[in-house]
Amino acid sequence: MLRFIRDWSQLEGVGGEAMKRYWIVIVAFAAGITPDPQVRADGPAVFGGPPIGGRRTEIRLSAFHDMEQIGERTELPPAPMPLGRSEAPDRLPGGLKAAPVHPRVALQAEPARPLPPMPAARPLPAPANVPLAMDNDIAHLAPAPMQAAGIAPCMDAACPTCGPPFEPYGLEPGFDLLGIGLGGWVDGGFSALGNSPGDRFNGPVTFNDRNLEGQLNQVWLYLERPVDPDACNVDIGGRIDVMYGTDAMFLQASDGLEEHWNQTDRFYQAALPQFYIDGGWDGWTVRAGRFFTPLGYESPAAPDNFFYSHSYEMQYGKPLTHLGALFGKSLGQWSVQAGFHRGNDQFDDTDGHDALNFLGGVGYTGLGGCFMAEYALTATEEGPGVNDYIHSIVARLLILPELEYVLVNNYGQRWDQAGERSAVWYGINQYLTCALTEDLAAGLRLEWFCDLDGTRVRGLRSGNTLPAGASGDFYAITFGLNYTPLDNLRLRPEVRWDFFDPIGESTPLPYDSGQRDRQFLFAIDVLYTF
């Protein structure tokens, strides 16, 4: 190679230039670049090759002069060659002449189109109980499997997976009055234990708490006008929820409100779980009324959960509703909220102290919306001299566009009138959900919940013989599917194993009416939204 370069530099005169031209032609042919045979002998020779990345390579060489340009790239639209065709079009757009195609190139198939870039990971959808400053656009329709697995649709009409936004069936599509939307859902299911408890209750499992018995869990209606927290002017909205079914008992206030409705049926009752006014302006939000707690991950609303049954943390580790006011502020990737309320799951003032309790938290969103973390807490007076502190930490990570992991931690403790700590409870939940197809998603929930003093887990409905004082560790493994044959119809079968590790030999057992320390449960429900 060194000798070739030395000889090349010593080529002078007409013969030398001709020799240079000869070697350039040889190299150009080897690279698939061919000379234009119609150029004048004394003009510059043009060597043109196949398109490279949407451009055509040209090398121009004067007949008896040095190369004018080497590697000049001229912007030309690609002209893919059909298989077997040996000649390119005589003229390219703009009147430019096309170089003949080298025979070696003509024998090749049309170059394969480059693969499209990998789509960016879709942001996580906000759950129904996110901090208020982040709760801007909550869909109350049954999510498709990808949404059920924690994946927000891109809403691109050309996307083969998501398609255009879904218009629900049932009510008139587009029903809207002054920006107020009307919607709801119907949810019902069936549960079966591996054993046959005498009271026909599924131990501490809720909301599907009845064994070998169909339950109409939720017939739910709501009116809602969402607000824009970034509006230039003050935007006013709100929401009212009313529901009927076997889940109503779990959502009623512990004092006042629904207890004055004279409901005598043991299982089927009504509840008013939410009624509040929202305001938004310049990144600020305010919510006043009765609303779902910002603590935890699972929600009382059936469409917001992947599983039919609920975790111990959701039912026994935290409150479900508050009556009060909550202020929020969005700070880019961060959001903060703070407010006050009358008590956990309370409505009226029962002790005459008129205590206002603290409710607040902070949230963070990162990795382009693929990671969310939330911390929320409540400090509450639960009676004369009795105070509770409860917090929850929720972290959500979108590992792949179809795979989401969620980690939940909760902790609570109570002080009695003497200022002594009288109860402690805490736990960890893990969720892994995956969209298998457009219609099917799978989910796994692993839970450990410790009721250290036996004060939290108990029979909540009349007739449930679950003994009080079951202090120990509760473990639950739940595997389920979400099948969505229609956009507003979802089937959620699941299998669940519960285990109990008691603290002390005299601790009562929580399953099979106090006879067992474990149980197996199969359950399935049908969820229809409108």
Side-chain angles (χ1 to χ4, degrees):
M1 177 61 70
L2 295 176
R3 181 178 179 181
F4 176 84
I5 296 174
R6 182 193 62 190
D7 294 343
W8 176 277
S9 62
Q10 294 177 356
L11 293 176
E12 297 179 356
V14 176
E17 293 298 334
M19 185 61 67
K20 288 183 180 180
R21 179 179 177 85
Y22 169 78
W23 282 110
I24 290 176
V25 172
I26 295 300
V27 173
F29 267 101
I33 304 175
T34 56
D36 188 341
Q38 299 182 14
V39 297
R40 294 183 296 109
D42 58 347
V46 179
F47 297 83
I52 301 176
R55 301 184 177 187
R56 186 174 299 281
T57 302
E58 293 184 0
I59 299 177
R60 299 176 181 270
L61 178 67
S62 298
F64 297 102
H65 299 83
D66 292 336
M67 282 190 298
E68 297 176 345
Q69 300 182 41
I70 298 180
E72 175 182 293
R73 297 183 180 271
T74 304
E75 294 286 347
L76 295 175
M81 182 62 58
L83 178 63
R85 184 171 178 179
S86 59
E87 293 185 359
D90 293 335
R91 294 284 174 179
L92 295 173
L96 298 174
K97 175 178 275 298
V101 178
H102 191 274
R104 178 169 57 85
V105 179
L107 295 176
Q108 298 177 355
E110 179 180 353
R113 298 181 180 179
L115 293 175
M118 292 295 292
R122 296 168 180 166
L124 292 171
N129 53 356
V130 296
L132 178 61
M134 302 170 62
D135 185 13
N136 302 335
D137 187 18
I138 298 174
H140 296 280
L141 302 176
M146 293 185 67
Q147 292 170 265
I151 303 166
C154 65
M155 292 306 183
D156 183 358
C159 177
T161 301
C162 302
F166 165 69
E167 293 185 354
Y169 307 110
L171 298 179
E172 180 68 21
F175 172 84
D176 187 73
L177 179 63
L178 300 178
I180 301 175
L182 170 64
W185 58 84
V186 178
D187 179 48
F190 176 85
S191 303
L193 287 172
N195 51 287
S196 300
D199 59 6
R200 298 189 66 181
F201 278 95
N202 296 333
V205 175
T206 63
F207 289 166
N208 56 318
D209 60 344
R210 296 292 289 169
N211 179 46
L212 296 178
E213 187 174 309
Q215 293 182 263
L216 182 59
N217 297 89
Q218 298 181 4
V219 179
W220 197 295
L221 288 173
Y222 67 86
L223 285 171
E224 180 182 35
R225 186 189 186 279
V227 300
D228 180 7
D230 298 317
C232 296
N233 299 316
V234 177
D235 191 16
I236 302 297
R239 179 175 170 123
I240 299 176
D241 294 72
V242 60
M243 61 87 58
Y244 173 84
T246 60
D247 292 357
M249 188 275 298
F250 302 105
L251 300 175
Q252 294 172 356
S254 60
D255 56 349
L257 197 59
E258 295 98 346
E259 71 177 10
H260 301 307
W261 294 0
N262 193 28
Q263 303 185 79
T264 59
D265 191 274
R266 181 184 176 191
F267 298 106
Y268 289 90
Q269 298 184 9
L272 196 63
Q274 292 195 116
F275 50 91
Y276 57 77
I277 296 176
D278 275 347
W281 173 72
D282 193 26
W284 288 91
T285 55
V286 60
R287 175 168 295 174
R290 189 185 187 199
F291 46 85
F292 290 150
T293 182
L295 278 73
Y297 176 65
E298 295 186 15
S299 167
D304 295 334
N305 304 296
F306 187 92
F307 297 99
Y308 178 29
S309 67
H310 285 289
S311 64
Y312 291 92
E313 177 269 338
M314 184 264 192
Q315 184 63 71
Y316 304 106
K318 67 182 182 70
L320 298 181
T321 63
H322 303 283
L323 178 69
L326 194 59
F327 300 86
K329 173 62 175 176
S330 177
L331 303 171
Q333 291 181 292
W334 293 88
S335 64
V336 295
Q337 58 177 358
F340 57 87
H341 64 102
R342 295 291 300 273
N344 296 331
D345 299 313
Q346 293 184 359
F347 183 78
D348 292 337
D349 175 32
T350 57
D351 58 16
H353 288 186
D354 293 326
L356 290 180
N357 309 287
F358 178 77
L359 179 68
V362 60
Y364 172 78
T365 302
L367 299 178
C370 293
F371 174 76
M372 292 174 62
E374 303 163 9
Y375 169 81
L377 67 94
T378 175
T380 312
E381 182 206 41
E382 291 297 316
V386 179
N387 297 280
D388 283 0
Y389 166 85
I390 305 173
H391 80 235
S392 71
I393 300 173
V394 179
R396 308 175 64 192
L397 176 64
L398 194 63
I399 303 173
L400 296 171
E402 302 84 10
L403 184 66
E404 183 193 11
Y405 172 74
V406 181
L407 176 66
V408 182
N409 165 253
N410 78 292
Y411 176 86
Q413 62 182 26
R414 171 169 291 183
W415 292 269
D416 59 20
Q417 294 180 351
E420 300 292 333
R421 191 173 65 181
S422 60
V424 176
W425 61 96
Y426 45 84
I428 294 177
N429 288 10
Q430 299 181 81
Y431 302 79
L432 189 66
T433 51
C434 178
L436 304 177
T437 68
E438 295 181 8
D439 303 319
L440 185 65
L444 177 67
R445 178 177 63 197
L446 305 176
E447 180 176 16
W448 162 59
F449 182 80
C450 178
D451 187 358
L452 191 61
D453 301 285
T455 61
R456 304 298 295 184
V457 181
R458 61 194 186 279
L460 300 177
R461 197 190 298 272
S462 174
N464 190 334
T465 58
L466 172 65
S471 60
D473 296 304
F474 293 82
Y475 301 91
I477 303 173
T478 308
F479 174 78
L481 299 173
N482 275 204
Y483 175 58
T484 310
L486 300 174
D487 288 338
N488 66 331
L489 182 66
R490 184 155 40 126
L491 281 72
R492 301 186 295 183
E494 68 176 54
V495 289
R496 172 171 173 160
W497 294 267
D498 289 77
F499 309 87
F500 177 66
D501 184 14
I503 298 177
E505 297 180 357
S506 60
T507 299
L509 301 179
Y511 308 117
D512 195 7
S513 301
Q515 304 300 314
R516 298 175 182 266
D517 63 354
R518 64 193 61 198
Q519 72 177 15
F520 171 81
L521 175 71
F522 168 78
I524 184 172
D525 74 325
V526 179
L527 175 62
Y528 176 83
T529 61
F530 50 85

